[in-house]
Amino acid sequence: MGRGPVQLRRIENKINRQVTFSKRRSGLLKKAHEISVLCDAEVALIVFSTKGKLYEYSSQDSNMDVILERYQRYSFEERAIVDQNIGGQANWGDEFGSLKIKLDALQKSQRQLLGEQLDPLTTKELQQLEQQLDSSLKHIRSRKNQLLFESISELQKKEKSLKDQNGVLQKHLVETEKEKNNVLSNIHHREQPNGAANIHRQEQLNETTHIHNQEQLNGATTSSPSPTPVAVLDSVATLNIGSSQSREGAGEEPESQPSPAQANSGKLPPWMLRTISNR
């Protein structure tokens, strides 16, 4: 059967209490030494007995005074931080009251600047308020004029830059027009010799065609055994003259005689008719 939980309470028997104290003190010192060695910790242990006897232990690398001084410095800093927090919390109420008073005064002054709640003000206070408004208006107007001057200077700079860009574009446009005119003139000069050559070529072709037709006509005339058109025309004209004279002597009006070409149209070949009509 296992042991139940041990209740910790003061030992009434003095002898038993002294024996238990000796045993537990030795165990406590042993544990302090073990944690100091195993964990490389700075350990300081102070024990007072019921009779007021001191038992202490400190780490091998540290002295009891060094550890106690470090403990006092750390505890003092911690207490100072805690005291500041407590003092700040205590002063929060006073600070809130002062801030509320300042806020009310600022709101009142703002309403008075807007022209509200002016009844409780005296003449002197109204004059002060007027002076304050005048100074505020001067500052506002000066700031407005400064902004206007700055905007005007910026606009002037932009205008100058735009004028410069416009001039550059105009120069570029003039150069482009010049180049275009030069290209058109070159094309025109190139087309003119070609046109003259084409006209000359057409004239030569027409002349060659005319010569060829003449040669064909001359060849046909030399190969035919019929009389020449000139002799036929002379004979026809002689016949016509004789007949007209005889009719005039008889008192008859001369009738309109057909042309040689019409008279001989049924007897002459087509190529002779063409030659007679041309003559």
Side-chain angles (χ1 to χ4, degrees):
M1 185 172 180
R3 295 176 58 185
V6 178
Q7 294 181 359
L8 295 176
R9 60 182 179 177
R10 183 174 179 272
I11 300 173
E12 298 295 334
N13 191 352
K14 293 183 178 179
I15 298 172
N16 293 333
R17 187 168 59 239
Q18 185 64 30
V19 172
T20 303
F21 174 75
S22 298
K23 291 180 180 179
R24 296 295 179 92
R25 184 195 64 203
S26 300
L28 183 60
L29 294 174
K30 184 179 179 182
K31 294 293 183 182
H33 177 69
E34 288 178 357
I35 193 172
S36 173
V37 174
L38 294 174
C39 301
D40 194 14
E42 293 182 0
V43 179
L45 177 63
I46 298 173
V47 179
F48 288 95
S49 65
T50 56
K51 295 180 180 180
K53 189 177 180 180
L54 174 63
Y55 300 94
E56 64 179 7
Y57 172 80
S58 61
S59 302
Q60 295 180 358
D61 298 334
S62 301
N63 191 6
M64 179 64 72
D65 296 334
V66 175
I67 296 173
L68 291 177
E69 183 180 359
R70 183 177 178 183
Y71 169 74
Q72 289 177 357
R73 185 172 61 252
Y74 179 79
S75 62
F76 174 77
E77 291 176 356
E78 187 176 7
R79 282 197 302 271
I81 294 171
V82 173
D83 292 338
Q84 287 179 0
N85 293 331
I86 294 172
Q89 291 177 0
N91 295 325
W92 283 353
D94 298 335
E95 188 175 359
F96 174 75
S98 63
L99 290 174
K100 190 174 186 323
I101 293 169
K102 289 180 181 180
L103 179 62
D104 293 337
L106 290 173
Q107 289 178 352
K108 183 179 179 180
S109 176
Q110 184 179 6
R111 285 192 293 270
Q112 289 175 356
L113 290 172
L114 293 174
E116 300 175 357
Q117 296 181 0
L118 299 177
D119 296 334
L121 296 178
T122 62
T123 306
K124 187 175 181 179
E125 291 176 350
L126 289 172
Q127 289 178 354
Q128 291 178 355
L129 183 61
E130 185 179 4
Q131 291 176 358
Q132 186 178 359
L133 290 172
D134 290 336
S135 63
S136 300
L137 285 173
K138 288 179 182 179
H139 289 298
I140 292 169
R141 287 168 181 167
S142 63
R143 178 59 180 166
K144 183 185 72 174
N145 293 329
Q146 183 180 0
L147 292 175
L148 288 174
F149 289 145
E150 290 177 357
S151 62
I152 289 169
S153 62
E154 290 178 359
L155 291 174
Q156 288 176 351
K157 290 178 181 179
K158 289 181 180 180
E159 182 182 4
K160 185 178 179 181
S161 64
L162 290 173
K163 285 182 178 179
D164 295 337
Q165 292 178 2
N166 191 12
V168 172
L169 291 174
Q170 286 181 353
K171 290 180 181 179
H172 182 68
L173 182 61
V174 171
E175 292 176 356
T176 305
E177 290 292 335
K178 288 182 179 179
E179 292 178 358
K180 183 178 179 181
N181 293 329
N182 293 330
V183 171
L184 291 174
S185 62
N186 292 330
I187 293 172
H188 183 66
H189 288 315
R190 289 177 183 175
E191 287 179 352
Q192 282 182 353
N194 294 329
N198 291 330
I199 294 170
H200 182 66
R201 207 175 287 116
Q202 186 67 30
E203 290 178 354
Q204 289 181 351
L205 181 61
N206 293 334
E207 185 177 358
T208 305
T209 305
H210 181 67
I211 293 170
H212 183 68
N213 293 331
Q214 291 291 334
E215 288 178 354
Q216 288 182 354
L217 184 60
N218 293 331
T221 304
T222 53
S223 61
S224 175
S226 62
T228 60
V230 177
V232 174
L233 288 173
D234 291 338
S235 60
V236 172
T238 304
L239 292 173
N240 291 332
I241 290 170
S243 62
S244 62
Q245 286 179 356
S246 62
R247 288 179 183 177
E248 285 176 359
E252 295 178 358
E253 292 182 359
E255 296 178 356
S256 59
Q257 298 293 328
S259 64
Q262 292 175 355
N264 298 315
S265 61
K267 300 177 180 181
L268 297 177
W271 59 270
M272 291 184 70
L273 292 173
R274 190 167 50 252
T275 304
I276 293 167
S277 63
N278 291 329
R279 291 175 68 90

